[in-house]
Amino acid sequence: METWSFPDGNIANLVERRQTFDSHQDVNQRLQAHSSLMQRLALDKEMEGHQGCVNAIAWNSKGSLLISGSDDTRINIWSYSDRGLLNSIETGHSANIFCTKFVPETSDELIVSGAGDAEVRLFSLSHLSRKRSEEVAIEPVAAYKCHSRRVKKLAVEAGNPNVIWSASEDGTLRQHDLREVSSCPSAESSNQECRSVLLDLRRGAKKSLADPPKYCLVLKSCDISPTRPHQLLVGASDAFARLYDRRMLPPLSSSQMRMKSPPCVNYFCPVHLSEHRRSSLHLTHVTFSPNGEEVLLSYSGEHVYLMDVNCDDKSIMRYTAADVPKHFCLAPISGESKLPLPPAVPSSYQLMHRLDVYRNLVQAAARTLEEGSNIYYGIEACNEVIDGKGPEVGHSVRHECLCIRAALLLKRKWKNDVYMAMRDCNSARQIKASSFKAHYYMSEALLQLGKLNESLEFAEVAGNLASSTCEEEMVATIKGHLVAAEAERVKKDTEDTARSETRHGKLRSLSDVLFRAELNSPYSESRYEREDSDYEEEMELDFETSISGDEGRDTESSILRGSLNLRFHRRDDAARESSSIDGAEGSPSSSSQNYYHTLQPEVAIDMKRRYIGHCNVGTDIKQASFLGQQGAFVASGSDDGRWFIWEKRSGRLVKMLAGDEAVVNCIQCHPFDCAVATSGIDNTIKMWTPHAQVPSMVAGGIAGPETADVWGAIEINQRKLCRNRELVLPYEFLERIRMHEFAEGTLHPFECAQS
């Protein structure tokens, strides 16, 4: 694929500019994460000092120290200058440490940790000696025991040494003021008086944008905006990230007071995920960009998505529940495009050359579509033309490129490619309302989703727009596929009806309840993207487990050994109405639901960019991070032991590195230097710096020289994501039977099954 190197400019010119202009800060920020440096990243040092998985890493504000927390319940302090271990602190936690931070403006003397024992602990390093690698056990200066389940994330505000925030799987986000109390009663205490609950989301989860919140929201991640510290971002056990304004939240409360979920400022969710109602879909990490204008969302079993924080009311990125079906129907578009023309740019040899490169890229993408090979390269070529940093292209070239990319996405069939193809078709229709290709590929996309009536509508319009015999044959072919798909649907409905009559009154097998059947039909994607089964509303599940420590685990194969006994029985209607969800006092009444509809915003913000290549199904602490002070690149860990770097603007993959023997979970960029720290299932932390001799897309890292097959590795990851044996049991139930003693990354019952 022909393109030009380093679209963010020549690095030598930037260095020269720093010497002649006053904009040193801007130039330094651009140099920190320049694309030429990103493509030279290689393993600098493997830092040893932990005896378990490293679940959390964070820099201090100056970038001179790195802090890490591990399954071994220790906190390690590392020197950035020589990558050496300064102190190893025994925290006293009784379970895995999942998060740790330096408290700002304390001269790096105060550190805080959160763990699987539901405790948040504060430590002072002022009395520690600076003897290297010293292993010490120190008492916490404060211990907050008010959470009832695992603490998964801590947040601090730059410039504020007095307050820390903790997000827990108990459904609450708590605010701890270090000036008030040094400890609090445990969550099981009969006289619970700790009033630290800032967000009570024990009735905050939603299965779709239209639903009122009524389930317990298991918090997984949180972040404070670096530029607007009153903004608080939360990610949890459903598809929606939530943005709150701390100034608009009610006063702190006790956990004994079950509060109604407060309204959030914005929901963030890709529109194609907002109505899936998949109980297994949840967020593992959310974060603000360095300038606070964007947020990054990482989903379990999904991709990484970029969204804008500040979208005005007229923005096309905003949508409501009523807007979701419009993405699948034939909405009229009057006339041709009224989009503004690309801005005029002065003609120059360089710009003319880039426009020629664009034309060549479009032609190359068209060839890959025609030949049916190198589909990934064709999509990357279209990405470069549509989203690259080069000059704006005309409407005709953009329309052609959108249609080609949609067709290539439909051929590739990676997870959610069909939805991305539909977005391209709608964008192409905005440019040219009478576009045959846009309507034809939209019909094909809807056919892949099993939306046969909608597909037929677009096929009819495409037939009316066909201007050649070839196009008429294409429409006839897709109509034939629609007839076959409808016949298959009728046949399957008949078989399902007969099967349900046969099984009436019989006990279902465990595999029937836990998993959906494998669907082999090419037109059946909608069947495993449909709403969840009603089992969670029709059945109660009593369970017993007999798993104890090492007796329940095969150390050689990492296979869970033990027994899990489930008994199923139907609820009666009265039980349904009075049942409690995760300790709640029953489902909200109709008046309560009206309250939610009144206060909860019905508007969500759609994705701006998608980043694909990695796999996130094995752990629920996997991070996606911005790299550099300008956040020009996005990085994420993966279940295949690699970590991936994409250009934020275009979504183009620029680097893939081997960073762990099993899973990379954490990625943290140095505050000022071009250096990245990563950690995962291994006991070590890896430091990456741009010292490779030549820039490249792949580096072997700890695995050796560059022999990895980039696209082959990505293809394997996508197959893992696309497996359709989805869990039907509700996420809340699976969370209850998860055994918190297991280390993050080992095989949990139902939760972190890696395969």
Side-chain angles (χ1 to χ4, degrees):
M1 182 181 71
E2 184 181 4
T3 184
W4 53 85
S5 298
F6 314 138
D8 43 2
N10 187 295
I11 194 168
N13 293 341
L14 287 175
V15 174
E16 182 179 355
R17 181 181 174 186
R18 183 173 59 177
Q19 298 173 347
T20 57
F21 293 92
D22 294 331
S23 56
H24 292 169
Q25 182 177 5
D26 176 68
V27 174
N28 286 339
Q29 291 178 355
R30 292 175 62 185
L31 285 172
Q32 180 194 6
H34 192 273
S35 55
S36 67
L37 299 181
M38 290 290 106
Q39 292 187 356
R40 291 177 185 269
L41 283 176
L43 183 64
D44 180 276
K45 180 68 179 290
E46 192 168 351
M47 300 151 61
E48 300 180 355
H50 280 295
Q51 301 301 316
C53 306
V54 183
N55 303 320
I57 52 177
W59 295 96
N60 67 343
S61 59
K62 297 179 180 178
S64 59
L65 299 174
L66 182 73
I67 189 172
S68 60
S70 168
D71 285 352
D72 60 13
T73 71
R74 304 185 76 88
I75 291 177
N76 285 355
I77 311 293
W78 310 83
S79 168
Y80 170 61
S81 60
D82 61 5
R83 283 49 162 172
L85 178 62
L86 296 178
N87 294 107
S88 184
I89 302 166
E90 178 55 59
T91 61
H93 282 295
S94 59
N96 315 344
I97 294 176
F98 289 113
C99 43
T100 183
K101 294 275 190 182
F102 288 99
V103 179
E105 303 300 325
T106 61
S107 300
D108 302 323
E109 291 188 354
L110 288 183
I111 59 174
V112 61
S113 61
D117 58 6
E119 294 187 14
V120 176
R121 295 191 165 210
L122 182 72
F123 300 91
S124 174
L125 308 182
S126 57
H127 301 299
L128 289 181
S129 69
R130 295 302 177 184
K131 183 178 179 181
R132 284 186 175 270
S133 303
E134 180 184 18
E135 296 186 4
V136 294
I138 58 177
E139 290 297 319
V141 297
Y144 303 100
K145 303 179 181 181
C146 40
H147 282 298
S148 60
R149 300 184 67 185
R150 300 193 302 180
V151 178
K152 296 307 290 287
K153 204 69 176 180
L154 295 169
V156 294
E157 176 189 343
N160 185 349
N162 302 313
V163 181
I164 56 177
W165 292 267
S166 58
S168 169
E169 293 178 337
D170 62 12
T172 65
L173 187 141
R174 293 179 179 264
Q175 177 174 297
H176 309 282
D177 193 323
L178 309 184
R179 299 164 296 186
E180 292 183 351
V181 294
S182 59
S183 62
C184 59
S186 65
E188 292 76 17
S189 174
S190 59
N191 58 343
Q192 171 65 259
E193 297 295 339
C194 182
R195 302 181 65 86
S196 62
V197 177
L198 179 65
L199 278 176
D200 188 346
L201 298 174
R202 288 173 289 179
R203 289 181 179 174
K206 294 163 67 74
K207 289 194 172 183
S208 73
L209 187 59
D211 287 345
K214 54 185 177 180
Y215 304 99
C216 180
L217 194 64
V218 180
L219 303 191
K220 298 292 184 181
S221 183
C222 65
D223 196 22
I224 299 287
S225 171
T227 55
R228 303 178 184 91
H230 57 275
Q231 291 184 343
L232 174 64
L233 184 66
V234 175
S237 56
D238 62 12
F240 303 93
R242 293 156 171 82
L243 180 68
Y244 293 93
D245 189 330
R246 291 193 286 121
R247 302 169 301 182
M248 300 170 59
L249 295 177
L252 299 181
S253 63
S254 166
S255 62
Q256 291 187 346
M257 300 173 58
R258 192 167 295 274
M259 307 294 291
K260 296 175 181 177
S261 299
C264 62
V265 176
N266 272 324
Y267 288 115
F268 298 99
C269 181
V271 66
H272 59 277
L273 300 181
S274 63
E275 298 293 323
H276 275 197
R277 299 173 180 266
R278 286 162 41 197
S279 57
S280 60
L281 180 66
H282 66 279
L283 289 153
T284 63
H285 188 71
V286 295
T287 186
F288 282 99
S289 63
N291 63 5
E293 299 297 326
E294 297 169 318
V295 295
L296 204 59
L297 276 57
S298 180
Y299 285 91
S300 176
E302 263 290 338
H303 306 295
V304 174
Y305 295 94
L306 178 74
M307 283 136 181
D308 278 326
V309 172
N310 301 308
C311 289
D312 58 42
D313 294 338
K314 297 181 180 180
S315 172
I316 60 173
M317 308 301 291
R318 295 172 66 91
Y319 67 94
T320 65
D323 295 327
V324 176
K326 297 177 183 178
H327 291 262
F328 307 103
C329 67
L330 186 60
I333 298 178
S334 58
E336 295 302 317
S337 170
K338 296 183 180 179
L339 298 175
L341 293 173
V345 294
S347 61
S348 67
Y349 173 78
Q350 184 180 16
L351 288 178
M352 295 301 294
H353 173 67
R354 288 191 173 188
L355 290 174
D356 287 339
V357 170
Y358 277 159
R359 296 187 188 96
N360 293 336
L361 289 174
V362 175
Q363 293 173 5
R367 285 195 299 271
T368 63
L369 176 60
E370 182 179 352
E371 298 169 358
S373 59
N374 295 324
I375 292 177
Y376 189 92
Y377 287 98
I379 294 173
E380 286 287 276
C382 293
N383 293 344
E384 190 72 44
V385 176
I386 297 172
D387 304 312
K389 285 191 174 182
E392 292 268 356
V393 296
H395 288 331
S396 60
V397 176
R398 185 175 182 84
H399 168 269
E400 182 70 14
C401 207
L402 286 167
C403 292
I404 293 174
R405 186 168 70 176
L408 290 169
L409 288 167
L410 292 174
K411 281 184 176 293
R412 188 174 67 176
K413 294 183 180 179
W414 287 359
K415 184 152 191 155
N416 291 332
D417 274 356
V418 62
Y419 293 105
M420 300 301 108
M422 292 172 62
R423 293 168 67 96
D424 283 349
C425 290
N426 284 326
S427 298
R429 291 175 63 223
Q430 290 290 338
I431 296 174
K432 185 180 179 181
S434 59
S435 169
F436 166 81
K437 291 181 179 179
H439 287 85
Y440 173 79
Y441 292 129
M442 189 70 168
S443 176
E444 185 177 339
L446 290 166
L447 173 59
Q448 289 190 16
L449 288 176
K451 297 182 179 296
L452 305 186
N453 294 334
E454 295 85 348
S455 176
L456 181 60
E457 290 183 12
F458 278 92
E460 294 288 355
V461 175
N464 296 332
L465 295 173
S467 59
S468 67
T469 304
C470 179
E471 291 179 349
E472 292 174 354
E473 292 176 352
M474 292 168 63
V475 173
T477 300
I478 202 168
K479 286 184 177 180
H481 291 324
L482 284 167
V483 172
E486 179 62 27
E488 182 184 350
R489 173 185 288 180
V490 172
K491 178 182 177 182
K492 186 177 187 307
D493 289 344
T494 303
E495 292 175 350
D496 289 345
T497 301
R499 188 181 300 112
S500 64
E501 291 175 354
T502 303
R503 291 189 176 186
H504 182 68
K506 294 183 179 180
L507 182 67
R508 292 182 177 89
S509 68
L510 181 60
S511 60
D512 287 338
V513 176
L514 290 182
F515 295 104
R516 296 174 181 163
E518 189 104 6
L519 301 175
N520 298 318
S521 168
Y523 308 118
S524 57
E525 180 167 344
S526 64
R527 294 179 191 142
Y528 56 85
E529 296 286 0
R530 57 177 166 77
E531 293 184 5
D532 283 333
S533 167
D534 290 330
Y535 293 141
E536 62 200 70
E537 296 180 356
E538 297 174 354
M539 295 183 175
E540 289 180 346
L541 298 98
D542 299 329
F543 61 89
E544 298 175 355
T545 59
S546 57
I547 305 172
S548 58
D550 295 333
E551 298 176 358
R553 189 184 309 151
D554 186 330
T555 56
E556 294 182 358
S557 60
S558 295
I559 297 176
L560 184 69
R561 304 293 183 188
S563 62
L564 177 66
N565 302 317
L566 301 174
R567 296 190 297 274
F568 304 92
H569 53 90
R570 289 192 176 276
R571 296 179 183 174
D572 56 29
D573 293 337
R576 291 191 200 181
E577 294 178 1
S578 62
S579 64
S580 64
I581 301 175
D582 204 35
E585 300 94 337
S587 301
S589 64
S590 58
S591 61
S592 175
Q593 293 184 13
N594 291 335
Y595 169 86
Y596 290 132
H597 278 297
T598 302
L599 291 185
Q600 287 286 346
E602 297 285 335
V603 177
I605 296 178
D606 193 12
M607 57 165 279
K608 182 165 71 172
R609 193 74 61 230
R610 177 182 71 148
Y611 306 100
I612 61 173
H614 75 302
C615 180
N616 179 10
V617 295
T619 58
D620 66 350
I621 58 172
K622 197 169 282 91
Q623 297 178 358
S625 304
F626 292 95
L627 302 185
Q629 297 175 75
Q630 294 187 336
F633 293 89
V634 168
S636 173
S638 177
D639 289 343
D640 61 357
R642 299 178 175 92
W643 61 289
F644 295 74
I645 303 176
W646 301 271
E647 185 182 53
K648 184 188 75 173
R649 178 188 176 99
S650 66
R652 178 171 58 94
L653 180 67
V654 299
K655 195 72 172 177
M656 182 181 77
L657 302 108
D660 195 277
E661 292 295 335
V663 178
V664 175
N665 281 324
C666 305
I667 299 175
Q668 290 296 313
C669 185
H670 190 276
F672 310 110
D673 290 350
C674 185
V676 182
T678 65
S679 68
I681 301 301
D682 289 349
N683 298 347
T684 59
I685 299 170
K686 282 83 175 177
M687 190 69 69
W688 308 82
T689 57
H691 65 270
Q693 293 296 317
V694 294
S696 64
M697 179 179 286
V698 183
I702 61 173
E706 293 187 19
T707 57
D709 179 357
V710 180
W711 315 128
I714 293 176
E715 184 75 38
I716 293 173
N717 283 340
Q718 295 308 304
R719 285 202 296 267
K720 291 179 182 178
L721 288 179
C722 288
R723 285 177 181 162
N724 50 19
R725 289 172 60 84
E726 292 183 358
L727 286 170
V728 172
L729 290 181
Y731 184 86
E732 296 82 2
F733 169 76
L734 302 183
E735 277 288 309
R736 290 186 190 181
I737 65 174
R738 176 190 43 75
M739 306 297 289
H740 79 271
E741 302 92 34
F742 294 116
E744 192 69 43
T746 58
L747 183 60
H748 298 168
F750 306 107
E751 181 194 22
C752 290
Q754 301 183 60
S755 55

